[in-house]
Amino acid sequence: MLDMLDEAPAWAGAVVALIGLVLAAFGAWSWRLCQQLRGARLVPVAGPHAGQGPRAVALQGRSESPPEGDLAAPLTGRACHWFSFRVEALRKQAGQDQERWVEIERGTSLRPILLRDATGLASIDPAGATMTGTETESWTSDGPPPAAGMGEALATIASVAIQGRLETRRYTEEVIPAGAPLFVLGSLTPAPAGPSAVRAPESGYFAISTLSPEATARRHLLAAAGQGAGAAVLVGAGVFMTMRRRAAGP
């Protein structure tokens, strides 16, 4: 193992340490979000703040179907109020013998999510939100996903025609199912008529979760702990590699 470190390029230690510092920044972000979630005070959608301007709030309720109906998740066709998906293909890159997963498509719904509590209705713009507690499905298949349209079917046929075989693909889909419990930390603009608007605040964090406030905070606390531990290992390894390289000389 030490021989391998000695053979590494001179800049390798700095790169490893830099990756550790980036991971530490993510850990600090997760920690601050955890603390903000723990300190958040739940308010009703329609309360004393009605008539005021935008303000940072924490809301809790349940997602409600809009008049135009639920969304259909693009891979499974499941009824939902928000989705995100990613499609990867197992392919050989130019000049390489081994196959690697290559992302070929991704997408996220931008339609507002409706949250109803005992006092009223809020319309949440999900753009820029950190999502927690979404229901995730991931699978690998040589064929199109269950809800594939004509375009996906044609792509499958083209894969067979070009490669002489079906292309292996990995599908990942996240959803907020219809009627899910919701906890939201964001900026609320009350409306005298119709749903109040919730969006990303100008400063601070924007979070949407199907978990309770306590469970959401725990998720981010665990993420911060894992990211902090990983950062410490990487920074330490990078410093060790750099010092050993210097001691070994040119």
Side-chain angles (χ1 to χ4, degrees):
M1 175 63 78
L2 294 179
D3 291 339
M4 293 176 61
L5 293 180
D6 292 337
E7 295 174 1
W11 45 262
V15 172
V16 171
L18 180 60
I19 294 173
L21 292 175
V22 172
L23 189 59
F26 280 105
W29 179 86
S30 296
W31 171 257
R32 289 195 297 269
L33 179 53
C34 171
Q35 297 307 305
Q36 187 167 343
L37 289 165
R38 284 181 166 177
R41 295 181 59 187
L42 293 172
V43 302
V45 171
H49 47 267
Q52 301 177 9
R55 55 174 300 190
V57 297
L59 304 173
Q60 192 168 19
R62 189 167 290 276
S63 66
E64 181 171 294
S65 298
E68 61 269 29
D70 299 333
L71 293 170
L75 300 183
T76 62
R78 183 178 179 183
C80 62
H81 290 164
W82 176 87
F83 64 77
S84 178
F85 74 95
R86 183 173 70 254
V87 181
E88 300 163 283
L90 193 59
R91 294 176 178 174
K92 286 184 179 180
Q93 300 283 43
Q96 296 182 359
D97 294 331
Q98 292 186 335
E99 292 183 320
R100 301 180 61 183
W101 289 109
V102 179
E103 181 177 284
I104 58 175
E105 188 179 5
R106 70 161 55 228
T108 301
S109 64
L110 297 177
R111 195 175 79 174
I113 305 168
L114 297 181
L115 177 149
R116 182 175 292 280
D117 69 3
T119 66
L121 188 65
S123 177
I124 307 161
D125 180 354
T130 297
M131 296 287 182
T132 306
T134 55
E135 295 188 6
T136 303
E137 290 189 55
S138 184
W139 69 95
T140 302
S141 173
D142 290 337
M150 181 60 69
E152 184 69 27
L154 291 175
T156 302
I157 295 173
S159 172
V160 175
I162 295 172
Q163 303 184 63
R165 62 179 177 84
L166 288 172
E167 185 174 61
T168 301
R169 294 189 176 183
R170 183 165 62 193
Y171 302 95
T172 304
E173 185 177 79
E174 295 180 67
V175 302
I176 293 178
L182 287 180
F183 165 64
V184 180
L185 186 69
S187 176
L188 172 72
T189 303
S196 298
V198 180
R199 55 178 54 89
E202 294 184 0
S203 62
Y205 299 103
F206 183 28
I208 300 175
S209 177
T210 63
L211 307 175
S212 67
E214 297 77 16
T216 304
R218 282 197 299 272
R219 285 282 185 97
H220 290 288
L221 177 61
L222 290 173
Q227 290 159 344
V233 170
L234 289 172
V235 171
V239 171
F240 175 78
M241 291 170 65
T242 302
M243 294 178 64
R244 185 176 177 83
R245 185 72 179 182
R246 288 179 177 176

